[in-house]
Amino acid sequence: MKTYKRLFEQLCAIENLELAFKKARMHKTLKPYVMEFEKNLANNLQSLQNELASKIYAPLPLNEFILRDPKTRRISVSDFRDRVVHHAICNVLEPIFEKYFIYDSYANRKGKGNLKAIERFDYFKRKVSCNGRKIKRLQDDNYVQGYALKADIKHYFDTVSHKKLMGIISKRIADIDVRDLILKILNNYNAKQDGKGMPLGNLTSQFFANIYLNELDQFIKHNLKVKYYLRYVDDFIMLHKSKNQLESWKTEISSFLQNELLLELHPQKSKIIPLGRGIDLLGFKCFYYFRILRKRNIRKMQRRLELFKELCKEDRNNALVLLESLQGWNAYAKHANTYKTRRAITNKTIEIIRR
């Protein structure tokens, strides 16, 4: 197994920090904290470089808030200068680990994303069901079109073991200074258990999540030899004609997670579902020949419209924000069979703006 040394100097290079800054400010150029940092950019980056190179860099406390959308989650946001460091780390480490990730891992990777995952699921579904034709099940005379094991890891971001994660990273990264910097970032999070957890909201958490669960990906693809499998962060799904085969795989995966990664499957969210019933996946409900938006996604947009109705009464400039929100939602919703729903939401938006 190839290991990489002398990465810390590359990480601290001013060119890498400049690139990291550009990535960190993307889509946030008008944010006050970005403008403040950019006002004295050269000095700020030089100061950051000096702190990193002399190993006195320490991340600032995280800004935490609760998000209910729809489930309650604790989001932790780093200071902007720390986000620059996160991008600097990922700039160096991503090219190393990317080549070891499986093709069907879709979160936080270039050229992937949730819509690509949905398309891949559709491809798997057609393969398993022979393009939707009914397949006789071996155990009885019922006819099915395949099953999906849809699984979720219980409290994933709160239960990731720092020791396990660092052990996985150490297999590839021999540079002690880089590993020490990663530990500083991990330990900056005020977790429920010492030595466990990563903050939701950090770029590094998303990247480390892929590194950690790549161990699961490799086990599923190479040990269990599952053909139709994909993962998006800690949600994963596999398809097969046999329900019994999926039950067997579920047992082996549960054992692997507990013994090797100190994680466990969510008991309520890890189920085997007939494909004909429709599978909830990344905001959509996917059937054989069509997909629809999940009801909570539509309700969320309706609540947003009610909020903007009041805001537009106070300030007409909020209408522009409403239009941007509608455009983003429409771009997502059009990937489902939602013509009537999108038309109703658009008409409601126009009505609010005209008042």
Side-chain angles (χ1 to χ4, degrees), residues 247-274:
E247 292 280 11
S248 174
W249 283 340
K250 182 181 177 183
T251 301
E252 291 187 72
I253 288 167
S254 179
S255 176
F256 176 83
L257 286 172
Q258 290 178 8
N259 296 329
E260 301 298 327
L261 296 180
L262 307 181
L263 301 171
E264 60 180 297
L265 289 177
H266 199 296
Q268 282 79 47
K269 295 180 181 178
S270 302
K271 299 177 181 177
I272 296 171
I273 307 162

Side-chain angles (χ1 to χ4, degrees), residues 76-245:
S76 304
V77 179
S78 296
D79 187 83
F80 183 72
R81 77 194 300 270
D82 294 327
R83 286 183 240 172
V84 173
V85 174
H86 298 169
H87 277 279
I89 292 170
C90 291
N91 286 347
V92 172
L93 297 191
E94 267 182 354
I96 294 171
F97 284 95
E98 178 66 28
K99 66 184 83 169
Y100 301 108
F101 293 159
I102 66 166
Y103 179 85
D104 287 310
S105 165
Y106 285 89
N108 312 303
R109 295 175 68 195
K110 291 177 184 176
K112 301 292 184 177
N114 53 1
L115 294 176
K116 290 286 186 182
I118 292 287
E119 290 173 8
R120 187 67 164 167
F121 171 79
D122 283 344
Y123 171 76
F124 287 166
K125 175 187 65 184
R126 291 193 297 272
K127 285 289 188 181
V128 167
S129 67
C130 298
N131 290 323
R133 293 199 302 274
K134 289 184 178 179
I135 303 163
K136 191 171 183 181
R137 194 165 57 186
L138 298 176
Q139 282 73 22
D140 53 41
D141 293 327
N142 290 333
Y143 285 82
V144 296
Q145 294 168 306
Y147 295 90
L149 166 59
K150 186 173 183 297
D152 181 278
I153 296 172
K154 186 178 180 181
H155 304 312
Y156 174 59
F157 279 91
D158 280 333
T159 53
V160 167
S161 164
H162 294 180
K163 184 178 179 180
K164 283 281 183 185
L165 174 60
M166 293 308 300
I168 295 166
I169 290 173
S170 298
K171 292 176 186 176
R172 304 284 178 195
I173 307 302
D175 192 316
I176 294 174
D177 292 330
V178 172
R179 299 204 307 244
D180 285 347
L181 178 60
I182 291 170
L183 263 178
K184 280 184 182 180
I185 290 167
L186 290 173
N187 291 331
N188 191 45
Y189 178 52
N190 185 24
K192 295 175 183 177
Q193 300 180 56
D194 288 342
K196 287 195 171 186
M198 299 188 296
L200 270 172
N202 270 7
L203 172 70
T204 46
S205 298
Q206 298 166 11
F207 176 54
F208 296 152
N210 275 342
I211 292 176
Y212 202 80
L213 287 182
N214 183 55
E215 302 293 303
L216 173 65
D217 297 339
Q218 300 297 331
F219 173 75
I220 289 174
K221 293 300 290 184
H222 299 297
N223 292 66
L224 300 183
K225 301 190 184 302
V226 178
K227 192 171 183 181
Y228 303 119
Y229 163 81
L230 65 86
R231 179 177 62 80
Y232 191 93
V233 194
D234 61 325
D235 291 322
F236 60 91
I237 189 163
M238 58 185 68
L239 289 74
H240 200 273
K241 295 173 186 177
S242 167
K243 184 178 181 181
N244 286 343
Q245 179 63 78

